[in-house]
Amino acid sequence: MAISLQKGQKVNLKKAASSGLGEILVNLNWNARPAKKGLLGTLFGGSQGIDLDLGCLYELKDGQKGAVQALGNGFGALNRPPYIALDGDDRTGAAAAGENLRINGDQIGNIKRILVYTFIYEGIANWKQADAIVTIRYPGAEDLVVKMDEYNSSDGMCGLALLENVNDETFSVEKIIQFFPSHRELDQAFHWGLRWKTGRKD
């Protein structure tokens, strides 16, 4: 069973009385190879593959802020700050497991908020054909599904979901689905206050 979130809907992830939240897994899957549109589509890039990257902005209770993403090799760490780790970077979209962010829910008392996003590192901004889906899993609960069901944007960055610490025992999860030209505009919209510079993967 799974719960498909609607835009603006919030669902709470609560820890059990005798334990923490455990590991929260945020999975991104997408269709890496858009459908071909005949000879002209092939010639003019219509069949170009898409390299989507999963990442997040984070803010800890002590004021530390940053990003976890493959770009800039900011893969994070699960058992030390920021208590968020990116498993790896699927450059093709062919990996069955997609890309995964792992959040140490047992450290919820140290985490203020997390903004999960995806961006197109390579390929055209055809979100409909990418057909991306984010699934949030944590122990003892139904999966939360965030579908990218809005497509009419040529911007390459999309805010997906916002996790906020409610009372050091609960994360509220809200579906966002907002598009932005770059990390900087996403940051500004959610008042993160980071300083950004252009980067590339190795």
Side-chain angles (χ1 to χ4, degrees):
M1 294 291 294
I3 299 172
S4 183
L5 294 183
Q6 303 303 309
K7 187 171 181 177
Q9 180 184 1
K10 291 185 179 181
V11 173
N12 287 339
L13 306 183
K14 298 180 180 180
K15 73 177 185 179
S18 58
S19 63
L21 271 171
E23 183 178 302
I24 302 167
L25 181 71
V26 182
N27 172 262
L28 171 69
N29 253 307
W30 74 95
N31 175 20
R33 187 58 68 174
K36 293 184 178 181
K37 299 180 180 179
L39 178 59
L40 289 178
T42 301
L43 290 175
F44 292 101
S47 62
Q48 182 181 3
I50 296 176
D51 177 13
L52 283 186
D53 273 10
L54 178 66
C56 73
L57 301 180
Y58 64 83
E59 181 177 1
L60 303 184
K61 286 288 194 70
D62 65 4
Q64 180 181 338
K65 298 178 182 180
V68 174
Q69 60 179 23
L71 188 62
N73 294 315
F75 287 93
L78 197 61
N79 296 310
R80 63 179 189 275
Y83 309 110
I84 307 164
L86 182 66
D87 274 357
D89 178 25
D90 179 7
R91 301 295 292 270
T92 66
E99 292 194 4
N100 296 292
L101 271 174
R102 299 162 64 204
I103 301 169
N104 188 341
D106 294 339
Q107 295 291 334
I108 184 173
N110 293 311
I111 302 170
K112 183 176 180 179
R113 57 179 180 153
I114 301 168
L115 177 60
V116 180
Y117 57 77
T118 184
F119 62 96
I120 298 174
Y121 180 72
E122 288 182 338
I124 55 173
N126 192 329
W127 293 104
K128 186 172 184 178
Q129 288 191 357
D131 195 25
I133 295 179
V134 171
T135 305
I136 301 172
R137 302 183 176 98
Y138 88 112
E142 295 177 302
D143 292 352
L144 302 179
V145 176
V146 178
K147 294 183 179 179
M148 292 190 64
D149 43 13
E150 296 180 27
Y151 308 118
N152 56 342
S153 177
S154 59
D155 290 333
M157 165 73 69
C158 182
L160 297 169
L162 180 65
L163 287 75
E164 294 183 289
N165 184 335
V166 177
N167 55 11
D168 286 351
E169 296 184 352
T170 303
F171 273 127
S172 72
V173 182
E174 179 183 358
K175 179 177 178 178
I176 301 297
I177 309 299
Q178 293 182 32
F179 296 92
F180 302 92
S182 72
H183 289 71
R184 183 174 288 105
E185 287 80 9
L186 172 76
D187 178 309
Q188 292 170 350
F190 290 89
H191 310 290
W192 233 270
L194 299 178
R195 300 174 69 179
W196 296 94
K197 63 180 181 180
T198 302
R200 292 193 61 83
K201 298 179 189 178
D202 293 336

